[in-house]
Amino acid sequence: MSDKDGAVVHLEHQAGRGLSAEDAEFLSNFSDEAKKTVLRKVDIRLVPMLALLYLVAYIDKTNIGNAKIEGLLPSLHMDGVQYNIALSIFFVPYVLAVEEVPSNMILNRLKKPSQYLGFLIFCWGLIMLCTGFVQNFAGLVVIRFLLGLFEAGFLPGAVLVISKWYLPGETQTRIAILYTSAASGGAFSGLLAFGLAKMDGAGGYEGWRWIFIIEGIATVVMAVACYFLLLDSPSLSPSWITTDEIRYLEVRQIAANNHGGHHEGFDKRLILSVLLDWKMYFLIFASWSNAVPNYALKFSMPEIIKTMGYESANAQLLTIPPYAIGAFSAYGFSVFADRFSWRMPFILAPQCSLIVAFGILFSKAGDIENNMGLCYFGVCLACFGMYPILPGVNAWNVCNIPNPHKRAVAIGYLICAGNAGGIIGSFIYKDDEKPRYPTGYGTSLAFASAGIVASLSLEFCLWTANRRNARMTAAEIQEKYTEEQLLAMEEKSPLFKYSL
């Protein structure tokens, strides 16, 4: 039997399980060239817009680190501990799940995600603008909390939008491009802060205030662009894709979700199934191997480089190469992960890079002035290792949840729990420990190690489950379960094969 004939048999089997025989035939006859053409159209219109929006989100999230070395703390009469508190308060809405999980549940039911995400971006843009006028520590804490409240819904929302346009095996590269913009944002943030700090004194405002004011205005502009330019769904895109292309994009999603249940909206059982899903907790620990070191380093990198003996302006500029390396790494690893349809090795290799990077920094940063080259290499290697992890972990999550409703909740929950690592990361670089930062580098090393254990454990458990299911023949499965039972079992069905 040829590959095409096998695909037709598979699609015909799905008829009556959400995919009609007519749709199955249409999907099997849709040419490879036509598939490439329509995906190229979606790539050109959707991915760059999401990447640009996440670039803005990332800059707004991390520019407080740039503002710190431009005089934020003395201007607001703050000490190092208060700065750590201001960092961590941003993540409180994430941990309380007041935004990410409910946000994705809402977004999954809306026809126009552009309007909802545009609203979130507009709100945090105004808040960012207000940060430039804050007068004390209490005001900064309130601002950071509100910023976290509205920003929390964007990344899970963006991943959900990607999952609605692409099949699970196509998601990691697209998520990586999205997350690559975060690394690019780190580089651009340093360059932008370098320029905006030159406005010190303009209009009677200090340079660090101009960082927030200008970037807040830019965010509001991007919110308007999101409203008009972000793609909503294939059915609402007849101006740039044909009727057959719309049908192809919609039908293939139905075929890919053939093990999904038929939930009408959301209920407690759906949320409970995510909370009790053992896979989620391995993924969370794998996510923390990125989140804790990454958030800690992004908030502290300008200060770390400054301890090498550089002035504030040069320290801002020297944050650019590590982030550029992270951007290249995130995209490169994800291309190979999608090509081989194998997630674990392309998460594990970056995690091993983190072990080396933080091992160097932990042992050599105490004498940083005599080890500047080696320590700077350690910072670059840390970025090389951190940025591929989030796309890999989120793609692994998407691949193994066929039910689109459960997937929406799971995306939000994983990112929510993963970002809880930001609270830990906000406190591990202590001003009174510089330049050695044993707590910062040691904690990062520990979470990277835990992530390796989690990734290998999840791989083994999924491999074992696939092997167990493979022992059952189709006749044995049909004898043991009804069609309705197999549908209700979703990824627990013996017909489902986990992505490794």
Side-chain angles (χ1 to χ4, degrees), residues 161-229:
V161 169
I162 289 173
S163 74
K164 288 178 175 292
W165 283 88
Y166 298 98
L167 297 183
E170 301 165 347
T171 56
Q172 184 167 341
T173 301
R174 276 77 183 187
I175 296 172
I177 294 173
L178 175 68
Y179 201 54
T180 294
S181 68
S184 304
F188 186 63
S189 180
L191 184 62
L192 191 59
F194 172 78
L196 294 178
K198 302 293 185 183
M199 297 178 65
D200 187 40
Y205 295 114
E206 298 135 295
W208 69 265
R209 293 185 183 276
W210 281 111
I211 293 174
F212 294 117
I213 293 170
I214 298 299
E215 292 176 3
I217 293 172
T219 301
V220 171
V221 172
M222 286 307 302
V224 177
C226 174
Y227 185 88
F228 289 105
L229 300 178

Side-chain angles (χ1 to χ4, degrees), residues 251-488:
V251 169
R252 76 186 196 133
Q253 287 288 347
I254 297 173
N257 296 330
N258 60 73
H259 289 283
H262 301 284
H263 293 269
E264 294 294 334
F266 296 91
D267 54 37
K268 293 180 180 179
R269 289 174 297 175
L270 188 69
I271 298 173
L272 192 62
S273 69
V274 173
L275 295 176
L276 297 179
D277 189 340
W278 58 270
K279 301 188 301 296
M280 294 300 303
Y281 298 95
F282 285 120
L283 289 169
I284 287 169
F285 273 98
S287 179
W288 280 347
S289 70
N290 161 65
V292 174
N294 197 347
Y295 280 119
L297 194 60
K298 72 178 63 169
F299 290 136
S300 304
M301 190 188 298
E303 186 68 30
I304 290 171
I305 294 176
K306 191 176 178 182
T307 63
M308 296 179 184
Y310 294 100
E311 297 295 328
S312 296
N314 289 331
Q316 302 279 26
L317 294 176
L318 283 170
T319 62
I320 296 174
Y323 286 120
I325 291 170
F328 172 80
S329 174
Y331 180 74
F333 277 104
S334 295
V335 168
F336 284 105
D338 274 346
R339 181 173 300 173
F340 292 103
S341 297
W342 194 8
R343 308 297 156 188
M344 185 276 293
F346 305 100
I347 296 172
L348 184 66
Q351 289 171 329
C352 290
S353 299
L354 291 180
I355 297 294
V356 176
F358 288 109
I360 291 172
L361 291 167
F362 186 82
S363 61
K364 297 297 182 181
D367 189 20
I368 198 167
E369 291 188 359
N370 293 318
N371 294 283
M372 282 194 298
L374 185 59
C375 288
Y376 189 69
F377 168 76
V379 171
C380 292
L381 186 61
C383 287
F384 175 85
M386 288 185 298
Y387 283 91
I389 296 173
L390 183 141
V393 169
N394 279 278
W396 209 354
N397 184 34
V398 168
C399 286
N400 287 319
I401 301 181
N403 180 344
H405 301 291
K406 180 179 176 180
R407 187 187 303 151
V409 178
I411 289 170
Y413 181 60
L414 177 59
I415 295 177
C416 167
N419 277 316
I423 292 184
I424 301 170
S426 299
F427 284 98
I428 62 177
Y429 285 94
K430 303 177 180 180
D431 272 359
D432 59 358
E433 292 185 348
K434 64 182 180 184
R436 186 165 175 257
Y437 291 119
T439 304
Y441 298 137
T443 304
S444 298
L445 190 61
F447 273 93
S449 301
I452 290 175
V453 174
S455 297
L456 290 174
S457 299
L458 179 58
E459 177 81 354
F460 177 76
C461 291
L462 297 180
W463 175 80
T464 302
N466 285 344
R467 192 176 181 186
R468 181 179 63 248
N469 290 340
R471 295 194 189 104
M472 298 182 68
T473 66
E476 289 174 334
I477 293 172
Q478 291 174 357
E479 182 180 348
K480 188 172 183 179
Y481 303 103
T482 66
E483 197 77 10
E484 290 72 20
Q485 287 174 323
L486 290 171
L487 277 173

Side-chain angles (χ1 to χ4, degrees), residues 36-89:
K36 292 178 182 177
T37 298
V38 67
L39 285 180
R40 195 178 304 119
K41 289 181 179 180
V42 177
D43 283 339
I44 291 172
R45 289 177 176 264
L46 177 64
V47 178
M49 188 63 194
L50 285 175
L52 187 57
L53 293 172
Y54 192 54
L55 169 67
V56 171
Y58 189 91
I59 290 174
D60 290 347
K61 184 186 300 182
T62 61
N63 54 13
I64 189 171
N66 301 107
K68 179 186 179 184
I69 66 171
E70 297 298 343
L72 170 71
L73 268 61
S75 178
L76 298 185
H77 309 291
M78 291 169 53
D79 57 29
V81 174
Q82 289 175 318
Y83 174 73
N84 292 132
I85 293 172
L87 294 182
S88 65
I89 201 70

